[in-house]
């Protein structure tokens, strides 16, 4: 049931997300540069390239040594974006004014500037290596909504109970408060907090009436959008080229101030196991969803989640079905794959589309 890709999509060399050891750090940074350039983020690409140049230079400090000797898989761990996020935070706070030319898109001596920042703000940057980026982006919710429209067209109940992994600040948990124009198919409340109209390629998704009954998520380090300090950290992970994303996060902050999203501080596997063990109301579809999260979930937890979903899927019924919607990176084409499974009857994985990293466009492959 895999619907494949469009014939004109470029192909790239295979990249092992889990590679580590010699050469893995350089591969992670060069791949991230290409990924940023392919997703309309030339400023972030400049920052990442400059960081790599400093790492491969002669100078050293504790930050550089941690990057050089990274324990783990630097691409799966999003090591380049951890450092880039820290540098962006220094720009946003005004602590590193020398970064201004780069962030304004002005030609500059990028490596010299970034080297000055890395050695001048070592203590501030080191903690950014301690955890993965919090890349919470409301635009990705368009993928979830499109998938739910498709699931409804497949005959599953159109009332959805949503469970999200890696919710970060819970921005996508508020997806029922947003409006959507998906290839001409409009979904959402009369007065949405914000509206998304991604550039749509291919047929429109099915035009179905759907309802979000509930939305709950988990994160090992939830972000409170109503706390200015935590919100600033989240903004630091936003690629500066994408100014609309800053507007979106401000709208999300206002929405969270009205009603906070439901986020539990739990690891992904424990959350899935606990939620799937709870009774499910008849006439609802329980859907597990996640975007740009799976690479951060430890392998043992991934195995537990797959086992829990397949076990729950085996007992799912037409009145209480289970679905799994994911939007995860394909580093060989620098795009994101929208995939769906559902039980009973659709446990074979289906690719519904390709998506921009932040929902700017969707190439729909579904019927």
């Amino acid at each position: 049931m895999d619907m494949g890709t469009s014939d004109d999509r470029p192909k790239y060399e295979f990249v092992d997300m889990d590679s580590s050891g010699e050469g893995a750090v350089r591969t992670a940074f060069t791949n991230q540069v290409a990924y940023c350039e392919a997703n309309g983020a030339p400023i972030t690409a400049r920052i990442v390239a400059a960081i790599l140049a400093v790492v491969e230079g002669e100078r050293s400090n504790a930050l550089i040594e941690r990057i050089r000797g990274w324990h783990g898989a630097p691409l799966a761990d999003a090591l380049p974006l951890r450092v880039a996020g820290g540098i962006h935070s220094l720009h946003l706070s005004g602590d590193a004014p020398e970064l201004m030319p780069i962030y304004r898109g002005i030609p500059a001596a990028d490596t010299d500037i970034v080297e000055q920042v890395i050695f001048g703000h070592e203590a501030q940057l080191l903690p950014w290596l301690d955890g993965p980026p919090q890349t919470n982006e409301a635009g990705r919710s368009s993928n979830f909504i499109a998938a739910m429209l498709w699931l409804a067209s497949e005959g599953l109940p159109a009332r959805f109970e949503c469970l999200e992994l890696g919710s970060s600040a819970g921005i996508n948990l508020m997806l029922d408060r947003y409006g959507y124009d998906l290839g001409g198919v409009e979904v959402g409340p009369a007065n949405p907090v914000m509206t998304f109209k991604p550039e749509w390629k291919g047929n429109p998704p099915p035009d179905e009436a759907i309802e979000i009954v509930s939305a709950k998520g988990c994160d090992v380090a939830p972000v409170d959008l109503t706390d200015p300090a935590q919100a600033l950290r989240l903004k630091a992970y936003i690629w500066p080229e994408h100014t609309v994303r800053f507007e979106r996060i401000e709208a999300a902050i206002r929405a969270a101030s009205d009603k906070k999203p439901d986020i539990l501080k739990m690891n992904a596997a424990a959350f899935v196991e606990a939620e799937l063990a709870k009774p499910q109301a008849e006439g609802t579809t329980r859907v597990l969803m996640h975007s740009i999260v799976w690479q951060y979930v430890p392998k043992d937890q991934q195995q537990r989640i797959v086992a829990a979903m397949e076990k729950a899927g085996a007992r799912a019924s037409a009145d209480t079905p289970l679905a799994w919607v994911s939007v995860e990176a394909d580093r060989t084409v620098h795009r994101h794959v929208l995939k769906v499974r559902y039980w009973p009857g659709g446990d074979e994985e289906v690719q519904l589309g390709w998506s921009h990293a932040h929902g700017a466009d969707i190439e729909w492959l579904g019927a």
Side-chain angles (χ1 to χ4, degrees):
M1 293 177 69
D2 190 336
M3 298 175 186
T5 67
S6 61
D7 294 336
D8 60 351
R9 183 161 302 286
K11 298 297 186 290
Y12 298 81
E13 292 183 7
F14 171 74
V15 177
D16 183 0
M17 291 289 291
D18 299 317
S19 65
S20 59
E22 186 176 357
V25 168
R26 178 174 177 77
T27 297
F29 275 84
T30 56
N31 183 272
Q32 188 63 58
V33 170
Y35 184 86
C36 289
E37 290 174 343
N39 284 275
I43 293 172
T44 307
R46 286 174 62 181
I47 292 290
V48 174
I51 296 167
L52 176 60
V54 176
V55 169
E56 294 187 332
E58 296 181 356
R59 296 184 66 186
S60 182
N61 65 6
L63 178 74
I64 293 298
E65 288 306 313
R66 279 192 65 185
I67 297 170
R68 289 171 178 165
W70 188 254
H71 297 293
L75 188 56
D77 294 340
L79 175 60
L81 294 183
R82 296 187 190 202
V83 191
I87 290 175
H88 192 200
S89 74
L90 293 172
H91 167 68
L92 291 175
S93 64
D95 289 342
E98 60 269 37
L99 289 166
M100 188 65 70
I102 300 178
Y103 283 103
R104 285 185 176 176
I106 300 171
D110 295 358
T111 301
D112 292 342
I113 292 172
V114 169
E115 182 177 63
Q116 180 182 344
V117 171
I118 284 175
F119 286 90
H121 299 273
E122 177 186 13
Q124 290 166 276
L125 290 172
L126 271 168
W128 289 82
L129 296 182
D130 294 338
Q134 296 277 30
T135 52
N136 214 194
E137 169 50 48
R140 295 174 186 157
S141 61
S142 295
N143 290 274
F144 295 146
I145 293 296
M148 291 181 210
L149 293 172
W150 184 84
L151 288 167
S153 75
E154 290 287 294
L156 279 68
R159 303 178 72 246
F160 292 93
E161 172 195 307
C162 300
L163 303 171
E164 187 188 27
L165 303 183
S167 295
S168 184
I171 289 176
N172 284 303
L173 289 175
M174 299 187 287
L175 77 175
D176 61 329
R177 306 188 217 179
Y178 309 150
Y180 308 87
D181 183 336
L182 307 176
V185 176
E186 297 185 357
V187 182
N191 297 300
V193 170
M194 50 184 143
T195 300
F196 303 102
K197 188 178 181 180
E199 179 185 348
W200 198 268
K201 304 173 185 177
N203 295 326
D207 191 351
E208 301 281 345
I210 62 172
E211 178 186 358
I212 309 297
V213 177
S214 62
K216 177 187 293 186
C218 72
D219 201 281
V220 292
V223 176
D224 183 356
L225 273 177
T226 63
D227 179 340
Q230 294 187 53
L232 177 61
R233 181 177 177 86
L234 202 62
K235 291 175 185 177
Y237 288 119
I238 295 176
W239 293 351
E241 303 87 346
H242 302 161
T243 54
V244 68
R245 297 180 65 202
F246 288 93
E247 297 170 5
R248 290 174 182 173
I249 199 168
E250 293 298 340
I253 289 171
R254 291 192 294 272
S257 298
D258 291 338
K259 180 183 178 183
K260 286 189 177 183
D262 188 0
I263 313 173
L264 299 177
K265 185 176 182 179
M266 293 179 72
N267 72 51
F271 174 76
V272 170
E273 291 165 349
E275 292 301 319
L276 293 183
K278 295 178 180 179
Q280 180 177 345
E282 290 191 3
T284 64
T285 297
R286 177 173 283 172
V287 55
L288 180 69
M289 61 189 200
H290 52 86
S291 59
I292 331 302
V293 166
W294 196 247
Q295 70 189 64
Y296 304 129
V297 178
K299 298 299 181 187
D300 61 325
Q301 289 190 43
Q302 290 182 6
Q303 294 168 0
R304 286 169 57 190
I305 292 167
V306 171
M309 288 293 287
E310 292 182 344
K311 181 179 179 181
R315 63 175 184 267
S317 69
D319 288 331
T320 55
L322 176 67
W324 190 347
V325 178
S326 64
V327 184
E328 297 294 342
D330 182 336
R331 287 279 174 169
T332 64
V333 295
H334 307 305
R335 296 280 284 175
H336 291 78
V337 188
L338 170 59
K339 293 184 177 180
V340 180
R341 296 176 69 185
Y342 67 87
W343 298 265
D347 58 334
E348 183 181 348
E349 195 170 68
V350 176
Q351 181 180 349
L352 292 182
W354 292 98
S355 176
H356 179 275
H358 310 117
D361 62 76
I362 295 176
E363 180 182 352
W364 185 252
L365 305 176

